[in-house]
Amino acid sequence: MLSAAKSASVGAIVIDSKGHTLYRFEKDTAKPARSNCAGLCAKKWPPVLAGDELSTMGVDQSLVGRVKRQDGRWQLTLAGWPLYRYAGDRRTGDVKGHNVGGVWFAVAPDGTKAVAVGDDGAAAGGARTRWGPLGGADRDLLVKIRQAWLWELPAAQLARQRARSLQVKDAGKRLAAQRAELDEEIRSVAGGLRVALPGKPGAEQRKWLKELAAAKGRRFDELFVNRMRAAQGQTLVLAAQVRASTRNSLIREFAQRAADTTMKQMALLETTGLVEDSALAPQPAQ
């Protein structure tokens, strides 16, 4: 699991399933991906090895890849950059490896270097806007939601045409109309903040659309409702996190609207009676 998280001192970062901060090495290369940390270096900076399965939250899965190391093992990459942990991080939340030697940096959800937060609360070297400082998590919110809508809109349009249940057809119709309206809004917000937005869904999202296109009858209805409900659960978490932490008033307003709309759409999907437990996010441990 790769997840986006917020560090009080470093800003938006990526963590693994145990909550450990992940890093990138400036002496590596991203194009092509290549790891130049081996031997004693790899003992201090253990590589994040690629397994058989991967899930992400707040991190665009289409940016995740892998590269073969000198020892023959496969290492995860983000936007081409090989990922590492730092042996000096003893507890979850530690970012002691950030800026070590001027070549090691905590990695942001888009694969760039995490941007430290200055004393005035603005991202050092980051964008300043008339609505307040624009941090990495703010940008990630716009990118992730736009990418989600790029597959949810055609999926909803498919539901209008192919769903067997009248409830699912109606849900598809209403979702498609709302998604088209919200897409205009996110492009307006991103344009004002000069944030580049993706133009196509991620690899996993394109796979979901292919599955929907091949499904029929009740199978289509169940697949559409549960894929959409699970994706919206992730969107709600991301919007709520940014809403609670952003210092940019325009992003705060957008995150609030995105969260409100997503909750209404989740409730709409649930009225179909087809939502399965697998589409619901697990409750946090108490």
Side-chain angles (χ1 to χ4, degrees), residues 172-194:
K173 179 180 179 180
R174 293 164 66 179
L175 288 172
Q178 291 171 355
R179 281 291 180 257
E181 180 180 343
L182 288 169
D183 193 57
E184 291 186 11
E185 180 178 355
I186 195 171
R187 286 189 280 117
S188 175
V189 172
L193 295 171
R194 297 184 179 180

Side-chain angles (χ1 to χ4, degrees), residues 35-47 69-71 73:
S35 171
N36 293 311
C37 178
L40 293 177
C41 175
K43 290 184 178 180
K44 188 174 182 180
W45 300 92
R69 294 177 51 78
Q70 297 174 21
D71 59 12
R73 296 182 296 174

Side-chain angles (χ1 to χ4, degrees), residues 250-271:
L250 186 60
I251 288 290
R252 186 179 302 116
E253 293 172 2
F254 172 75
Q256 181 68 60
R257 287 194 293 273
D260 291 344
T261 300
T262 299
M263 289 189 68
K264 291 177 182 177
Q265 293 177 343
M266 288 165 60
L268 176 62
L269 290 168
E270 289 160 5
T271 62

